Amino acid sequence: MADKTDTQYIQPTAAEDAGRIDPSRVGRLIAILVALVLYTEVAPMQLGMVSIVVPKLAGSFPGAGAGVTWAVTIVGIAGGASMALIGKLGDLIGKKRVVLLSGLLFLIGALLCALTHSWALFLIGRVLGGASWAMTAVEYGLVRDLMPRKWIPVAVGVIGTGFGIGGVLTPIICGALTDHYTWRSVFWFLIIYVAATTPLVMIAVPESPFRVKQKLDILGAVLFGASIGLILLYVSEGSTWGWGEITSLAYLVVGVILFLAFIAWETRAPEPMIELHLLRSRAVAIPMAVAFLVTLAISAVSIMIAYMFQTPKGPDLENQIIAGAAAQYHAPAAIVAKAMSFKGDISYANGFSTLQMALHITVWTAAFGMIFGVLGGWLCRIVGARILLITSGITLLAACALWIPWHKTWQEQVFIGLLYGISFGFYYAANPNLLIDAVPADRQGVSAGMLAVFGSIGTSVGTAVFTAIASAHPFQIVANQMGKIVVSDVPSVYTDTGYKWSYVAVGVVPAALTLLLALALRTGRTPSRGGAAAESEAAVLTEAGGAGTAGVF
């Protein structure tokens, strides 16, 4: 039996329920949820839009060279390094304030990107844009503090999957803007979007009355942010710089040293940023590990599909290469074609434009995710989050296994994508609900931030693994130059074998590990409680697999 202190630690206080909206005020509850979801849509929107316009940035920033991809990379690094800190600030000073602060930082960053002609200032703007990555994590805490307990599981699913603006409309809006205006119009659109949705949050969403009376652990925040930032930098750029290069390894080594220093400090700090025993418990450690694995798979598969379907069809690509070589050597294309052949199977290529990709594939997978995110939240309230997480692992495993042989038509992608959508939606409903029920309310912000950090690392690792596998299977040009055979790679075009092995490495393997972790969960076997304590102390202790505070958390 746990002592009195343990019982008080796991039970919600009256202050925690003080600001909760009355369940009868359905209209206000819906308005809060709509405002929060619309606001967080800026995160996937800005990432998707900027990823699309990266090639167009080179003309405006000639000094960037090959480093132009940092327009995307630096956002992930900055977001990963700051998410836990931003989540902790939500616990300390108010979650609504921190959500709006994140929006303000993004607004300043987007304005800087839209106006500057300096590459350095542009990257600073993108760093500020990384603050948007923490919005969803902080909003989970707002939902926990404001919504009726029965609403929380469903609301979490809705926030996790959104309204599909980021996934469905981003390519359409971005394509229309860049076709008629410059890349800067994308940032002006994002500025207008955030400026329009900010008043909705200010008016519709009340501030959480729940606060943690604690000083900010500045040293812990600096050590953690710097360590994660350096590790993400190595993972994101290692394939370009060389994984074994001394200058590249230095980032990893220093990052690991700083992370170890963070752990040492947190065990001694009087008011640590996060209690490390939270991460040692199965109830918290498994959702963190699952966040890494599932986000790794989802992000890498999304990139793979975009690469495959936007690769020009084989004959079209070959004709483009031949025409380019003919123009370079001032020779007839027919003569060049006789001296040139191609090596590798790219029968998967469809030659879709960004808009065609959105209309044929993205719109469907986003819709599946939204539907099953809401359904998953409702099911968490009925049967518990564990079974949803198990189902997410099974469907992700099935989808990636089926995509290995069947991935060459958009119909195959969409049909199998139904399973992918189930996995996507159920994961974003189940995993945050598991965390909400596993941690005390005064650690919700920082724990959700940590969950997002693990997801950010998964994104970087998944991208790096896919890049490494795909680069080992390039589509190649075999040219006969004056009797000498010269073989060269076609940039960013990979063989079908490379994609098959990528589905195994970044899809099947993490999905199988996710399934094993979900089966090992002791929590989530009962209906999600929206952060409320279990009906009895014994039930909480049994579900968490321990006897006392250390076992529960």
Side-chain angles (χ1 to χ4, degrees):
M1 179 66 68
D3 60 24
K4 183 177 179 181
T5 302
D6 292 339
T7 304
Q8 290 175 345
Y9 190 61
I10 61 176
Q11 290 177 343
T13 63
E16 185 185 341
D17 287 325
R20 208 168 296 283
I21 308 298
D22 192 304
S24 63
R25 303 183 67 181
V26 175
R28 186 175 187 196
L29 290 167
I30 292 175
I32 291 172
L33 189 57
V34 169
L36 290 176
V37 173
L38 287 176
Y39 205 54
T40 55
E41 287 284 357
V42 73
M45 283 173 63
Q46 63 96 8
L47 185 62
M49 288 184 171
V50 177
S51 298
I52 292 170
V53 303
V54 160
K56 300 180 182 296
L57 298 176
S60 299
F61 302 105
V68 72
T69 56
W70 270 80
V72 175
T73 303
I74 202 167
V75 176
I77 294 171
S82 63
M83 279 186 283
L85 172 61
I86 293 175
K88 184 66 175 181
L89 284 175
D91 292 333
L92 297 177
I93 67 174
K95 299 177 180 71
K96 176 183 175 180
R97 287 191 182 95
V98 171
V99 167
L100 291 172
L101 175 62
S102 298
L104 177 61
L105 290 174
F106 175 82
L107 201 61
I108 294 170
L111 190 61
L112 190 58
C113 291
L115 295 174
T116 189
H117 293 276
S118 164
W119 180 239
L121 290 177
F122 181 89
L123 290 180
I124 292 174
R126 297 300 291 145
V127 167
L128 293 174
S132 66
W133 278 41
M135 286 183 180
T136 301
V138 180
E139 287 189 2
Y140 287 147
L142 266 175
V143 165
R144 175 176 181 159
D145 294 348
L146 298 176
M147 293 279 180
R149 297 287 183 188
K150 290 185 177 181
W151 279 62
I152 292 174
V154 179
V156 164
V158 174
I159 286 179
T161 54
F163 293 150
I165 297 175
V168 178
L169 297 183
T170 289
I172 299 173
I173 295 171
C174 188
L177 288 172
T178 54
D179 283 351
H180 294 87
Y181 307 101
T182 69
W183 60 264
R184 295 181 190 274
S185 63
V186 167
F187 286 96
W188 285 115
F189 171 82
L190 293 170
I191 290 167
I192 294 169
Y193 182 88
V194 174
T197 53
T198 295
L200 295 179
V201 176
M202 295 177 68
I203 295 169
V205 181
E207 177 61 277
S208 166
F210 195 70
R211 298 285 190 283
V212 177
K213 294 183 179 179
Q214 178 183 345
K215 293 181 180 179
L216 178 63
D217 177 16
I218 296 177
L219 179 57
V222 170
L223 287 173
F224 183 79
S227 65
I228 295 299
L230 289 171
I231 291 170
L232 283 174
L233 182 59
Y234 172 77
V235 173
S236 299
E237 296 297 314
S239 60
T240 302
W241 296 343
W243 297 108
E245 292 293 324
I246 297 298
T247 53
S248 180
L249 282 171
Y251 290 100
L252 176 63
V253 172
V254 174
V256 170
I257 291 173
L258 290 177
F259 188 74
L260 293 175
F262 164 76
I263 293 175
W265 168 252
E266 291 298 283
T267 59
R268 294 170 175 80
E271 295 179 307
M273 187 174 84
I274 182 169
E275 288 82 353
L276 294 180
H277 61 75
L278 281 170
L279 300 179
R280 289 196 298 267
S281 73
R282 185 180 301 189
V284 175
I286 287 180
M288 296 291 178
V290 166
F292 168 80
L293 291 168
V294 175
T295 310
L296 183 158
I298 288 174
S299 57
V301 168
S302 298
I303 293 170
M304 287 166 54
I305 293 173
Y307 264 94
M308 283 192 291
F309 280 84
Q310 294 186 70
T311 297
K313 292 182 178 180
D316 295 338
L317 179 61
E318 292 173 6
N319 288 335
Q320 290 174 20
I321 294 171
I322 292 170
Q328 180 181 356
Y329 293 107
H330 306 288
I335 300 297
V336 172
K338 292 179 179 179
M340 187 179 290
S341 61
F342 299 89
K343 182 180 179 181
D345 174 15
I346 57 170
S347 55
Y348 62 83
N350 280 260
F352 281 0
S353 66
T354 302
L355 181 58
Q356 288 174 320
M357 178 79 186
L359 296 177
H360 285 82
I361 298 175
T362 310
V363 66
W364 296 106
T365 53
F368 295 153
M370 285 187 294
I371 292 168
F372 287 103
V374 177
L375 177 61
W378 179 77
L379 288 173
C380 283
R381 196 176 70 184
I382 303 300
V383 300
R386 178 177 176 269
I387 189 65
L388 271 295
L389 199 61
I390 291 172
T391 305
S392 176
I394 292 172
T395 51
L396 182 59
L397 179 62
C400 292
L402 290 170
W403 270 327
I404 294 171
W406 295 299
H407 57 256
K408 296 183 179 181
T409 69
W410 69 268
Q411 292 91 341
E412 289 172 339
Q413 285 292 333
V414 171
F415 182 74
I416 300 173
L418 176 60
L419 293 172
Y420 181 74
I422 293 173
S423 176
F424 181 92
F426 280 7
Y427 162 75
Y428 279 105
N431 219 38
N433 271 308
L434 283 166
L435 194 66
I436 286 173
D437 282 346
V439 302
D442 60 358
R443 299 297 182 268
Q444 175 62 45
V446 70
S447 61
M450 290 291 291
L451 193 73
V453 169
F454 276 84
S456 180
I457 296 173
T459 297
S460 296
V461 171
T463 304
V465 172
F466 162 64
T467 302
I469 294 174
S471 298
H473 298 83
F475 181 63
Q476 296 178 315
I477 304 169
V478 181
N480 187 336
Q481 297 180 357
M482 306 295 290
K484 182 181 179 181
I485 302 299
V486 178
V487 179
S488 57
D489 299 344
V490 179
S492 301
V493 180
Y494 312 110
T495 66
D496 192 62
T497 301
Y499 286 107
K500 287 180 178 179
W501 281 111
S502 294
Y503 271 122
V504 174
V506 301
V508 171
V509 172
L513 293 174
T514 295
L515 179 57
L516 292 175
L517 288 172
L519 289 169
L521 266 174
R522 296 180 182 177
T523 52
R525 297 170 184 257
T526 56
S528 297
R529 306 184 303 272
E535 293 181 0
S536 68
E537 177 186 337
V540 176
L541 296 175
T542 300
E543 187 173 326
T549 305
V552 178
F553 302 115

